[in-house]
Amino acid sequence: MDDVGTEGRMKRSDYIFLPLICAIALFLGWKLFAATEKDLSGVIIQPIDDIGAFIAAAEQIQPKEGEVYLLAQQWKWSGEITLQAGQDYILHLATADIQHGFHLPREAMGQSVDILLQPNKKYQVNLRNLKPGVYPVGCTEYCGIEHNKMRTKLIVLE
């Protein structure tokens, strides 16, 4: 029999190696994605080593060198945040007790920010292109009987 007609056909061994190569590529892609420690929204999530140090940073006068700290705990935020329009900031978020949600409305910088805060983790988000105004910040995850009182605000000055 002639080998001329079999040139375009896949061999039986090709059917074994093709799925194996795809599986390896998917695994390596997932490992690369996980290594960046970023979720799809650009929020950096890291384990928190010392909640006491984070609480102390949140109680300081802010912002400090472009860094802003906000702590969530039942049923309050650590305070209001006052920033300047036209400057970029790094917002650090953490919860001192249970799961909370952070929401900053779209009007503040052109896109809304929604983050589910988990205990033992700190979250870092870039605040860019802030527009002057007063924006409500709320908890979007039910955190107990006084959840509705868990409000603060972001004040952006001209």
Side-chain angles (χ1 to χ4, degrees), residues 50-109:
D50 184 2
I51 191 68
F54 192 96
I55 291 170
E59 291 173 350
Q60 299 296 317
I61 296 173
Q62 297 191 50
K64 194 172 191 175
E65 299 172 6
E67 308 268 330
V68 183
Y69 290 80
L70 187 60
L71 179 72
Q73 59 190 70
Q74 285 184 314
W75 291 284
K76 64 180 181 175
W77 295 98
S78 55
E80 293 180 352
I81 302 171
T82 302
L83 304 175
Q84 292 291 320
Q87 294 184 17
D88 293 344
Y89 296 92
I90 299 172
L91 175 62
H92 301 271
L93 298 160
T95 173
D97 45 31
I98 64 170
Q99 181 172 285
H100 293 282
F102 171 84
H103 173 75
L104 182 64
R106 171 184 305 259
E107 294 78 25
M109 60 179 196

Side-chain angles (χ1 to χ4, degrees), residues 110-156:
Q111 68 181 38
S112 64
V113 178
D114 291 288
I115 303 170
L116 180 62
L117 306 175
Q118 298 286 333
N120 303 315
K121 294 183 180 182
K122 59 184 173 181
Y123 301 79
Q124 178 181 312
V125 63
N126 293 318
L127 300 179
R128 296 190 175 118
N129 304 319
L130 292 169
K131 296 167 182 57
V134 178
Y135 305 101
V137 172
C139 179
T140 56
E141 185 68 25
Y142 182 74
C143 57
I145 196 160
E146 293 190 35
H147 163 73
N148 62 322
K149 295 181 181 177
M150 192 167 170
R151 305 279 180 247
T152 192
K153 52 187 150 179
L154 170 67
I155 303 165
V156 181

